[in-house]
Structure formats: structure tokens, C-alpha cells
């Protein structure tokens, strides 16, 4: 079955709005990762977050292992934030979610 | 759904030996990728490949690394010679189009390489 559920599947925002992306896991995990997928297909790792909250610029990741969920918050979105965001469950093997397609309109 | 198969799932070799990791991408996919993840660390991009050529590679893609897909068979990652720091899980992925157009990469489950 699907190990990782991401929501929403797609999201359209106006520039300046905040975004909240969710990841839920159906199994235990060692850690999880959030990625931004470049147009060329390569992945940019945003967070490697076993637990707790991490910040990086306008991005915040919060993982609650006992609740099997993680979130990615993007504040004050910009058009350059548009793209695909993937979360991945790390349970000795990597399981990716289907991604959230984010579109930020000017 | 579409599957990317990786062979072997686990390989143990001595430092200095050559290793070839095989990837059977989703049929009709045209773009192929390798990623590397050292245990407990982030997964990192190595290389992508299209139409018989390397399109993009990261600084992790050392001179000892090479990729090819002869005549539509396996997409391979060869390391020769191997070093201790090459111990990692290597993930293959494929996509039907350039990643940004489809937004969908399909990943294999990884090949764990242990270099002794």
C-alpha cells in the first residue's frame, strides 16, 4: 500500500500567501526528507528532519514521529517557489510521496 | 503503478574493485537519474541521462563513476575503482519527460553498496 500520503496534490497561491504542505506515513520511520524538484528533474533537498522543527529561510519543517506526520510551511510565497515538493519516508529504504504541485501566481 | 527495478538490492565488495549497479527503468521513459544516500544523511543527486548522454551531473559524480544504457537495456552506474566513501544506497529514477514537465519521477528501491 501507499506508505506516504501527501496533501494537497496541488495548490495555487497568490504571491505573498503562506503554504502548508502535509505528509502522512502509514508505517514507522527513521526519518523523513522534504525535496524540491527542479524543472530538470534533480531534487534539491530542503530538510532532513528526523523529528521536531527545523527552519531554513522562509521554510519550516515539523515532524512528529509518534503521529506519523510531517509538514512543510512556506511563508510569504514567491513565484520562484512554484514547482513540485516531495516528502520521503526514510525507513532504511526511501519511500516518496506523490508530491504537491505548487503554483504561485504574481 | 510503474516500477523501476534495481539490481542488486545489496552488494558487498572490497575497496578498489569495480561495481556495476543496474537499473531497469519504466518502459517508454526517456530520462534516467541516479541518486546517492549515505546512511543517515540526505539523498543527493548524482547524474541524469538522456539520449545516450549525461545531461547534468553533480560534484559527487566523480571521475571513477560512469553511466550508460547500451541499446535500451539496463541503465547502469559503474564505479571503478571503488572507495570506502562510495558505501551508500544508490537510487535510480526515470521519467517519461524532463522532470519539470511531468512532475513525476519514478524511483527504484535502491541498491545498497558496502565497500570494505
Amino acid at each position: 500500500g501507499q506508505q506516504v500520503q501527501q496533501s494537497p496534490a496541488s495548490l495555487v497561491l497568490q504571491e505573498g500567501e503562506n503554504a502548508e504542505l502535509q505528509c502522512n506515513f502509514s508505517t514507522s520511520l527513521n526519518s523523513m526528507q522534504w525535496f524540491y524538484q527542479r524543472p530538470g528533474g534533480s531534487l534539491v533537498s530542503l530538510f532532513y528532519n528526523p523529528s521536531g522543527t527545523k527552519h531554513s529561510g522562509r521554510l519550516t519543517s515539523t515532524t512528529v514521529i509518534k503521529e506519523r506526520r510531517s509538514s512543510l510551511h512556506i511563508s510569504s510565497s514567491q513565484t520562484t517557489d512554484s514547482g513540485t515538493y516531495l516528502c520521503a519516508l526514510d525507513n532504511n529504504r526511501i519511500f516518496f510521496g506523490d508530491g504537491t504541485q505548487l503554483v504561485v501566481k504574481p | 503503478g510503474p516500477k523501476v527495478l534495481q539490481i542488486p538490492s545489496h552488494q558487498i565488495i572490497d575497496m578498489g574493485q569495480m561495481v556495476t549497479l543496474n537499473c531497469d527503468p519504466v518502459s517508454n521513459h526517456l530520462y534516467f537519474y541516479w541518486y546517492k544516500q549515505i546512511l543517515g544523511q540526505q539523498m543527493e543527486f548524482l547524474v541524469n541521462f538522456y539520449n545516450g548522454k549525461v545531461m547534468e551531473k553533480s560534484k559527487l559524480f566523480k571521475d571513477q563513476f560512469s553511466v550508460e544504457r547500451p541499446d535500451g537495456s539496463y541503465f547502469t552506474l559503474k564505479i571503478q575503482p571503488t572507495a570506502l566513501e562510495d558505501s551508500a544506497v544508490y537510487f535510480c529514477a526515470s521519467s517519461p519527460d524532463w522532470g519539470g514537465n511531468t512532475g513525476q519521477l519514478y524511483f527504484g528501491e535502491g541498491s545498497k553498496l558496502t565497500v570494505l
Side-chain angles (χ1 to χ4, degrees):
Chain A
Q2 189 80 6
Q3 307 260 14
V4 182
Q5 299 280 355
Q6 275 191 255
S7 61
S10 62
L11 183 62
V12 180
L13 299 175
Q14 288 298 131
E15 196 168 29
E17 291 181 328
N18 298 332
E20 187 84 12
L21 282 55
Q22 300 289 341
C23 220
N24 291 284
F25 311 104
S26 62
T27 185
S28 59
L29 69 156
N30 295 331
S31 186
M32 58 74 54
Q33 303 180 49
W34 283 97
F35 296 90
Y36 170 74
Q37 184 178 333
R38 288 197 182 107
S42 56
L43 295 177
V44 176
S45 182
L46 299 175
F47 291 103
Y48 182 75
N49 189 359
S51 65
T53 298
K54 291 190 174 183
H55 302 278
S56 177
R58 294 181 293 107
L59 305 179
T60 301
S61 170
T62 299
T63 296
V64 184
I65 289 184
K66 63 180 180 180
E67 296 179 9
R68 296 184 177 179
R69 62 176 177 84
S70 183
S71 64
L72 176 68
H73 182 85
I74 305 173
S75 62
S76 303
S77 62
Q78 301 174 359
T79 56
T80 51
D81 295 331
S82 297
T84 301
Y85 291 83
L86 295 165
C87 69
L89 160 69
D90 186 350
N91 187 16
N92 298 321
R93 291 284 178 87
I94 297 286
F95 299 96
F96 282 83
D98 289 335
T100 293
Q101 299 271 6
L102 175 65
V103 174
V104 181
K105 295 184 176 181
Chain B
K3 296 275 188 190
V4 173
L5 301 178
Q6 287 190 240
I7 301 167
S9 58
H10 192 184
Q11 178 106 33
I12 302 173
I13 60 171
D14 292 324
M15 182 176 61
Q17 285 189 315
M18 181 194 75
V19 67
T20 300
L21 304 180
N22 298 292
C23 174
D24 187 9
V26 177
S27 61
N28 82 351
H29 280 194
L30 301 176
Y31 295 86
F32 313 114
Y33 313 80
W34 282 105
Y35 292 81
K36 175 184 179 182
Q37 185 179 38
I38 294 174
L39 185 64
Q41 298 183 19
Q42 298 170 326
M43 189 165 72
E44 295 184 276
F45 171 75
L46 284 176
V47 65
N48 54 24
F49 188 88
Y50 168 71
N51 197 27
K53 299 176 185 175
V54 172
M55 301 298 291
E56 179 187 354
K57 59 184 180 181
S58 73
K59 61 181 184 298
L60 295 179
F61 194 79
K62 304 181 297 184
D63 291 342
Q64 297 89 333
F65 288 25
S66 62
V67 292
E68 65 176 354
R69 194 188 186 207
D71 298 326
S73 61
Y74 286 144
F75 175 51
T76 62
L77 173 65
K78 182 185 293 185
I79 308 174
Q80 180 177 27
T82 52
L84 294 177
E85 61 264 27
D86 296 330
S87 293
V89 179
Y90 292 84
F91 293 92
C92 173
S94 69
S95 69
D97 202 339
W98 200 233
N101 292 333
T102 66
Q104 184 68 55
L105 284 177
Y106 294 84
F107 281 82
E109 293 193 340
S111 292
K112 185 176 181 179
L113 175 64
T114 303
V115 181
L116 303 177

